[in-house]
Amino acid sequence: MEQHVTPCEDAPPPLMYRVERPVFDEAYLHTQLLHPRERSPKTIRQRLAQQLHCSSERAKAIALSFLPILTWLPSYPVKEYLFGDLVSGLSTGVMQLPQGLAYAMLAAVPPVYGLYSSFYPVLLYTFFGTSRHISIGTFAVISLMIGGVVVREAPDSMFMIQALNGTATNTTVFIDTEARDARRVHIAVVLTTLVGVIQLVLGLLRFGFVAIYLTEPLVRGFTTAAAVHVFISQLKYLLGIQTPRFSGPLSALHSVTAVFSDITSTNVTTLIVGGVCMVVLYCVKDLNERFKKKLPVPIPGEIIVVMVSTGISYGLSLSENYQVDVVRTIPSGLLPPAIPDFSLLPNLVTDSIAIAVVGFSMGISLAKIFALKHGYSVDGNQELIALGLCNFVSSFFHTFAITCSMSRSLVQESTGGNTQIAGLLASMVVLLVVVAIGFVFQPLPQTALAAIIMVNLLGMFKQFRDIPALWRTSKIELAIWLVAFVASVLLGLDLGLLVALGFAILSVIYRTQSPKSVILGQVLDTGLYCDVDEYEKTGVDPVHLQAIRKARKRKLKKESAERESQNHKSPQKMSAVVKLDLELGVTHEVVAGGGSQNHLEVQGNGQVAETHTESDSEETRFLEPLCPVHTLILDWTPVNFIDSVGAKAIKLVIKEYAAVDVCVFIAGCSRTLLAELRTLQFFTGVVAPEMVFPTVHDAVLHCRRRTAPPTITAIQ
């Protein structure tokens, strides 16, 4: 049943696109219409002089780009922004305190170094960063990667000490924790210095674009695997059992095995305290999420848990009476700067590269999200420089590597943060604790810190929802996600990241080397050409057709040789015989010597039949067109670049098609691609600029005039 839709009378008439012009090819465009500028090549000296040219304007521009705070602080709207930045800074600082203490455990260093890492880098980012909303400081993934390195370089076995118990035969083995922690701090500091140098150099060399190669599926699969590692590493603190810390391939499996092997020695009090903290934190996070539009400031669940658990631990003496592990010593004040021990550098280069790339990738991705939401821009190269300076300079003050935190950044943005002033105020909150009241947190149970870490992983575990979504949208991206996750869980974060990057690069190579070829058909009465049948090729294989033609030629020569031999043996057959072919309307004369000759005859309908000689008649009719396609148009609109190998391959294809009487034309080349083709001397031999057209429709119109009736195939 047909339904007729009456167009609205008030609907405006459709916009019309009318263009009437001659058909252009590249030779005409290049010589007649376009007049490229002739630029003389510059010498190296001239280029250096241009780059090193100095002026007041250039110096000012460099200063503003290197210190972004100079661009916005002079015009800072105090009345409009200050209150929001103040509330945001206090909220973020309160959240940064427990996270700094907790993530120091992941980095395998004493908790106070987490507070140092929450102060110095945040202070520096205020001056050098371009994002107004991200919260710089400790982060679980980076801290865990650092912890894996320091445990590998300074394992517990290096610090075992045997002590005599009264007799020479009775000894006790214990770990010199003071020496171990000092060594691990040195390793973490040197690693941070190297991370900062790498990020700083990459930023100065304008390598901010490297983050695009860490695709979102790869990063999300990697961070999900990191969440698994972090969760497993905190099980022993939650249960209150003593197990060694593992690193390297299969470390996650070894850690789980060690925990379950010693699970019978679980400290019940530790488990109860940790479990209650987890329940409270989860409920607070759920309330903050449900009522985030009504709450002016999120409920600071983490600081509440820290303060309450610290009070209970102090009041009940959990450490002495119930053997609950606590934070213990937190020295007051800041340590004086010191030069790192650079003799440790050779063993840390590979790890520092991985940490530098992951840290920058996490930071720039979150910075771009907030910049897009609030309508400003961030500079990837300056972000690299800012992170590099934060890590490099801060490492002289005993910090470990940092990046931005997703949970703190969301709090900083949602509580009204407008500029980097919020981060500055957050660092002041941390400084106050370090200088004045750090000793208050000495009775804090480690199981409470483990609970904070585990609950903060919920956001990362939600990334498992990517799997069904990617299954519906892109199987290749799903494969990248799964490879990044599985490799990082089984092989460790450093090797897992390397494997994931290698697989992602292979997937790009696979997709570029397996392009989609389609046959284009013209939309009626337009110059538009669209796919008519997915994955269908031209149906013309020049190599196969050449083989067929050669076989036919050999057969033709063989038959001609047989006829000649028969004519020599039977002279009586050499007499002239005239036969009229009524169907063809052509007179075939068999003459002496076996040669046949066709003459033009006027047929009844007034058409003129062709005259063929021995040299072309039988061969032409025998070697009739091998396929109906005589012209191919290649749509190169999607092509971005071509190398010398590709140019040679295309020229070979054009030559092979020409050998079977199929012409090949090219359409839709960008000016950049055409410049590359000229540089590669593509337009020589069988290829000329007249074979290239600006659009597919230009090529089609040219071919229609050249051949009639047209049998043209356009390929993309």
Side-chain angles (χ1 to χ4, degrees):
M1 179 177 179
E2 295 185 357
Q3 294 182 351
H4 299 280
V5 181
T6 304
C8 180
E9 296 180 357
D10 297 333
L15 293 174
M16 302 304 295
Y17 185 109
R18 293 189 180 94
V19 176
E20 186 172 347
R21 61 168 175 81
V23 172
F24 294 145
D25 57 38
E26 180 54 31
Y28 181 81
L29 282 173
H30 188 69
T31 58
Q32 302 297 326
L33 294 183
L34 302 178
H35 303 285
R37 297 179 181 177
E38 295 183 1
R39 293 186 175 93
S40 58
K42 295 182 180 180
T43 63
I44 298 177
R45 182 177 179 181
Q46 290 173 331
R47 292 179 180 177
L48 287 175
Q50 183 179 2
Q51 292 295 326
L52 299 177
H53 171 70
C54 186
S55 64
S56 59
E57 292 79 7
R58 184 178 177 86
K60 181 179 179 181
I62 293 175
L64 292 177
S65 64
F66 188 69
L67 281 169
I69 191 173
L70 298 177
T71 62
W72 57 266
L73 187 60
S75 58
Y76 180 79
V78 177
K79 294 182 179 179
E80 183 179 355
Y81 281 178
L82 183 59
F83 180 75
D85 284 339
L86 180 62
V87 174
S88 176
L90 293 176
S91 302
T92 308
V94 167
M95 188 176 181
Q96 211 155 22
L97 287 172
Q99 288 192 359
L101 295 170
Y103 293 155
M105 294 171 55
L106 293 178
V109 296
V112 69
Y113 292 93
L115 297 181
Y116 299 155
S117 302
S118 300
F119 168 64
Y120 290 107
V122 182
L123 178 65
L124 290 171
Y125 187 83
T126 304
F127 298 91
F128 298 101
T130 60
S131 175
R132 305 174 189 172
H133 295 91
I134 64 173
S135 175
I136 292 296
T138 56
F139 184 56
V141 175
I142 299 298
S143 300
L144 184 67
M145 295 178 74
I146 296 170
V149 176
V150 300
V151 170
R152 183 194 69 204
E153 297 296 324
D156 290 341
S157 58
M158 289 180 59
F159 305 94
M160 294 292 187
I161 298 177
Q162 291 184 348
L164 298 177
N165 289 341
T167 62
T169 58
N170 190 7
T171 61
T172 301
V173 177
F174 67 96
I175 299 174
D176 187 353
T177 57
E178 185 175 350
R180 182 199 64 185
D181 290 345
R183 179 67 174 177
R184 288 180 175 180
V185 168
H186 289 157
I187 295 172
V189 168
V190 175
L191 182 64
T192 303
T193 305
L194 193 53
V195 168
V197 170
I198 293 172
Q199 291 175 333
L200 187 58
V201 170
L202 290 178
L204 293 175
L205 295 178
R206 320 302 290 175
F207 269 66
F209 65 89
V210 296
I212 65 176
Y213 295 102
L214 290 174
T215 62
E216 185 178 0
L218 187 150
V219 172
R220 292 175 72 86
F222 174 79
T223 52
T224 307
V228 173
H229 279 281
V230 172
F231 187 87
I232 292 173
S233 69
Q234 297 306 297
L235 287 176
K236 65 178 184 179
Y237 297 108
L238 182 68
L239 300 175
I241 59 179
Q242 302 294 327
T243 60
R245 182 163 179 167
F246 300 92
S247 62
L250 302 179
S251 59
L253 298 180
H254 294 321
S255 298
V256 171
T257 303
V259 168
F260 282 100
S261 298
D262 199 25
I263 199 168
T264 54
S265 60
T266 298
N267 187 314
V268 179
T269 305
T270 301
L271 178 60
I272 293 174
V273 172
V276 171
C277 291
M278 291 184 69
V279 172
V280 172
L281 286 170
Y282 180 81
C283 293
V284 170
K285 284 186 176 292
D286 186 62
L287 290 174
N288 286 333
E289 183 64 26
R290 289 190 179 187
F291 302 102
K292 60 182 178 181
K293 294 182 179 180
K294 298 181 179 180
L295 292 173
V297 177
I299 302 173
E302 293 173 337
I303 196 64
I304 292 174
V305 165
V306 167
M307 295 178 67
V308 172
S309 61
T310 301
I312 293 175
S313 175
Y314 178 78
L316 298 180
S317 299
L318 295 182
S319 176
E320 292 78 11
N321 298 334
Y322 300 95
Q323 289 73 48
V324 175
D325 292 329
V326 296
V327 170
R328 299 191 185 278
T329 305
I330 297 182
S332 298
L334 299 173
L335 296 178
I339 298 177
D341 183 6
F342 292 111
S343 63
L344 302 172
L345 283 179
N347 297 335
L348 307 177
V349 174
T350 304
D351 304 289
S352 62
I353 294 174
I355 294 173
V357 173
V358 172
F360 169 67
S361 175
M362 307 277 303
I364 193 62
S365 59
L366 201 58
K368 287 185 175 180
I369 291 174
F370 286 121
L372 182 63
K373 179 179 179 180
H374 293 276
Y376 63 94
S377 61
V378 292
D379 185 350
N381 294 310
Q382 181 59 30
E383 285 296 298
L384 259 177
I385 293 174
L387 282 176
L389 286 172
C390 289
N391 283 315
F392 177 74
V393 176
S394 300
S395 66
F396 291 86
F397 295 89
H398 315 281
T399 66
F400 55 85
I402 52 84
T403 184
C404 81
S405 166
M406 182 180 299
S407 58
R408 290 198 310 271
S409 298
L410 291 173
V411 170
Q412 181 170 318
E413 187 260 351
S414 63
T415 53
N418 298 295
T419 64
Q420 292 90 322
I421 296 295
L424 177 64
L425 294 174
S427 68
M428 294 298 106
V429 173
V430 177
L431 178 63
L432 176 64
V433 173
V434 172
V435 172
I437 58 174
F439 66 92
V440 173
F441 298 102
Q442 291 181 1
L444 173 63
Q446 291 186 0
T447 185
L449 296 178
I452 292 173
I453 294 173
M454 289 179 165
V455 174
N456 279 329
L457 296 176
L458 290 177
M460 291 187 183
F461 284 128
K462 290 180 181 178
Q463 294 177 153
F464 279 113
R465 299 173 182 173
D466 295 346
I467 295 177
L470 290 175
W471 174 263
R472 293 189 297 267
T473 57
S474 174
K475 303 296 190 299
I476 292 181
E477 291 190 349
L478 173 61
I480 294 174
W481 196 103
L482 292 175
V483 168
F485 175 77
V486 174
S488 300
V489 168
L490 297 180
L491 302 179
L493 296 181
D494 48 358
L495 293 178
L497 178 63
L498 184 62
V499 171
L501 281 172
F503 183 80
I505 293 173
L506 289 177
S507 70
V508 173
I509 295 174
Y510 167 75
R511 283 183 279 186
T512 54
Q513 296 301 315
S514 303
K516 179 181 178 181
S517 300
V518 300
I519 296 179
L520 303 180
Q522 183 183 13
V523 180
L524 186 63
D525 297 330
T526 69
L528 304 177
Y529 294 82
C530 300
D531 179 17
V532 296
D533 190 5
E534 287 188 354
Y535 307 111
E536 183 181 346
K537 306 296 187 296
T538 65
V540 182
D541 185 350
V543 177
H544 180 63
L545 296 182
Q546 283 184 345
I548 295 176
R549 173 165 283 189
K550 290 179 180 179
R552 290 185 179 180
K553 282 185 177 181
R554 288 195 298 267
K555 185 176 181 180
L556 176 62
K557 290 180 180 179
K558 181 178 179 181
E559 292 180 353
S560 298
E562 290 178 353
R563 284 198 302 270
E564 289 180 0
S565 62
Q566 291 177 357
N567 289 338
H568 286 296
K569 293 179 181 179
S570 305
Q572 67 274 14
K573 293 184 180 180
M574 296 172 59
S575 58
V577 177
V578 179
K579 179 180 179 182
L580 180 63
D581 191 329
L582 297 178
E583 292 183 0
L584 297 177
V586 181
T587 299
H588 300 267
E589 292 186 15
V590 182
V591 297
S596 67
Q597 187 173 3
N598 296 346
H599 298 281
L600 288 176
E601 285 194 2
V602 179
Q603 299 177 336
N605 58 3
Q607 296 179 348
V608 180
E610 295 182 0
T611 301
H612 302 280
T613 62
E614 166 62 25
S615 61
D616 65 352
S617 174
E618 294 187 26
E619 181 175 346
T620 302
R621 286 184 289 121
F622 191 79
L623 298 175
E624 59 187 1
L626 301 177
C627 79
V629 177
H630 59 68
T631 303
L632 294 178
I633 300 172
L634 304 180
D635 180 10
W636 278 13
T637 304
V639 179
N640 295 322
F641 71 95
I642 191 170
D643 56 11
S644 59
V645 177
K648 291 178 182 178
I650 293 297
K651 291 185 72 171
L652 180 61
V653 169
I654 294 175
K655 185 177 180 180
E656 289 178 345
Y657 275 111
V660 293
D661 301 326
V662 177
C663 297
V664 178
F665 295 95
I666 299 172
C669 290
S670 65
R671 308 311 302 176
T672 304
L673 183 61
L674 286 168
E676 292 180 0
L677 292 174
R678 290 192 179 92
T679 303
L680 295 171
Q681 298 182 350
F682 181 72
F683 299 111
T684 57
V686 297
V687 183
E690 289 81 5
M691 300 170 63
V692 181
F693 295 86
T695 67
V696 174
H697 201 50
D698 281 286
V700 170
L701 294 178
H702 170 78
C703 296
R704 282 180 174 172
R705 184 176 64 177
R706 190 179 64 87
T707 59
T711 309
I712 304 165
T713 301
I715 304 175
Q716 186 178 47

